[in-house]
Amino acid sequence: MVQRFDAKEIIVKNRSFRFAVAPMMDWTDRNCRFFHRQLSKRALLYTEMVVADAVIHGDRDKLLGFDPAEHPIALQLGGSDPAKLAAAAKIGADLGYDEINLNCGCPSDRVQSGTFGACLMREPQRVADCVAAMKAAVAIPITVKCRIGVDEQDIETALDTFADAVVAAGVDGLWVHARKAWLAGLSPKENREIPPLDYDRVHRLKQRLPDLFVGINGGLKTIADAEAESDKLDGVMLGRAAYHGPALLASVDRVFFGCETADPDPHDIVEAMIPYVEAQLRRGVPLHRITRHMLGLFHGQPGARRFRQILTVEGARRDAGVSVLRAAASAVEEASSLAA
């Protein structure tokens, strides 16, 4: 029987050492999530942001399908219409997602044109209406991911006003990217790097609202960074650091959840992926769509460059199969033997 997680256990008062892998467009698809799940059994995994209209009218298997092994898993929605978000949240809950998250932090032109994402920081009451509608539609937790503010907003007033509105609507948790978003003048990439990080602002929010689950995102690069923040907040969320160096996820269950099992070895992760890869190949999924997420698995180890090269070049062939993945892992073993 597939292990399921109690959704109410995911968001609880003052829970420390909570760990999540951030939702990332074009990256955290179902293949990425299955791979990350081999490294950590307890981290909360997020989908890419999916627009509510797409959930309601689109190909649900393509957009929302996931393997049961991915639990606990959260669906991130984009939108600003309470009725549509409620309908999309219900679809997600009925499909078995453990949490629904509303994106109020993405600064891309696409989300601005659709009046959602980070621009919703300016409309806390609308976000509150959306949260209330989703809460009324589903029994699983509803969370929001936001910034500390946008453009010329005062981050003290703006974040408090936003948080108070969604708390009044019954939100179960708030993930805060500890940077402002500049909706004009900066690209999405620049918005992840140029606005200064302000972790202290997120700490003050938690101190003011001790009963609200508050998690932090932005700029955390190592497990040590995340562990330091977990002492002050209820949750930590890593994005690009976890994607580019996925091996760091191997210690998450031990460090953040107190598991006594040994950290998984990257070679064991490759072997664990083989049955999944074979099953996806039978469905017609090209190898590179899976292995592109695995390129950083051996980061920093002898042979890591050759591992990436084999998966990138050989894995792109139309007839590429699991032998390519095995060859890439063997290259690392050979390089490690030579380096010993």
Side-chain angles (χ1 to χ4, degrees), residues 53-119:
D53 278 327
V55 172
I56 296 168
H57 302 294
D59 183 337
R60 292 177 189 171
D61 181 65
K62 179 179 179 181
L63 293 170
L64 304 177
F66 64 91
D67 190 287
E70 293 173 44
H71 287 292
I73 179 173
L75 168 63
Q76 187 181 67
L77 296 176
S80 58
D81 182 286
K84 290 180 178 179
L85 284 167
K90 187 175 188 312
I91 291 169
D94 289 346
L95 288 172
Y97 281 93
D98 298 301
E99 174 190 312
I100 307 294
N101 177 268
L102 178 61
N103 184 321
C104 295
C106 180
S108 74
D109 292 339
R110 175 190 171 199
V111 299
Q112 290 184 58
S113 65
T115 321
F116 56 94
C119 61

Side-chain angles (χ1 to χ4, degrees), residues 106-136:
C106 180
S108 74
D109 292 339
R110 175 190 171 199
V111 299
Q112 290 184 58
S113 65
T115 321
F116 56 94
C119 61
L120 287 174
M121 292 293 297
R122 295 195 187 111
E123 300 186 67
Q125 188 53 54
R126 177 184 286 204
V127 177
D129 292 342
C130 293
V131 168
M134 290 189 287
K135 287 287 293 181

